[in-house]
Amino acid sequence: QLQASGGGLVQAGGSLRLACATSGFSFDAYAIGWFRQAPGKEREGVSCISSSGGSVTFLASAKGRFTISSDNAKNTVYLQMNSLKPEDTAVYYCARTKYYYCSAYSSGYAYWGQGTQVTVSS
């Protein structure tokens, strides 16, 4: 299972830290990714962290602003989002990959959390 939390309403330029608490599988055997979906838009990959701790940011607009990290002791993955913009408004989902490596595509993920709403006001 994956439980996303930490969303909310923030002003442009502000920060939020999302958390994805996981359970029911070996945390060190899979990668965890963050995706987002804005109203009327396709779901897009934001970032991913592999079981070895390597990370990748898929979303060009997130580079330099968003940082993914993990706490293996808590089986939790975080997405620190700084300098938020109104266009970051979306429902953010965390997901577990089918294999140990990251994927930029939804098809690469087997299990999804319920999503957490992030709203950035201008």
Side-chain angles (χ1 to χ4, degrees):
Q1 292 184 345
L2 299 99
Q3 182 79 25
S5 63
L9 174 63
V10 63
Q11 289 189 330
S15 298
L16 283 173
R17 188 177 78 155
L18 306 184
C20 178
T22 72
S23 63
F25 61 89
S26 297
F27 186 73
D28 59 358
Y30 299 93
I32 302 293
W34 284 100
F35 284 73
R36 72 183 188 184
Q37 188 167 19
K41 294 188 176 182
E42 295 287 324
R43 187 172 297 188
E44 57 184 355
V46 177
S47 189
C48 178
I49 189 164
S50 72
S51 57
S52 63
S55 64
V56 58
T57 299
F58 305 124
L59 193 64
S61 64
K63 292 180 179 180
R65 299 189 300 127
F66 294 5
T67 302
I68 192 169
S69 62
S70 64
D71 184 336
N72 287 7
K74 296 182 178 180
N75 291 350
T76 299
V77 171
Y78 302 97
L79 185 68
Q80 178 68 44
M81 304 188 296
N82 299 328
S83 302
L84 283 162
K85 305 174 181 180
E87 50 264 43
D88 294 317
T89 295
V91 178
Y92 284 71
Y93 299 89
C94 61
R96 195 210 82 180
T97 55
K98 294 179 180 178
Y99 308 107
Y100 66 91
Y101 50 84
C102 284
S103 173
Y105 305 101
S106 299
S107 59
Y109 294 78
Y111 298 98
W112 294 79
Q114 85 289 1
T116 185
Q117 176 71 48
V118 171
T119 303
V120 185
S121 63
S122 57

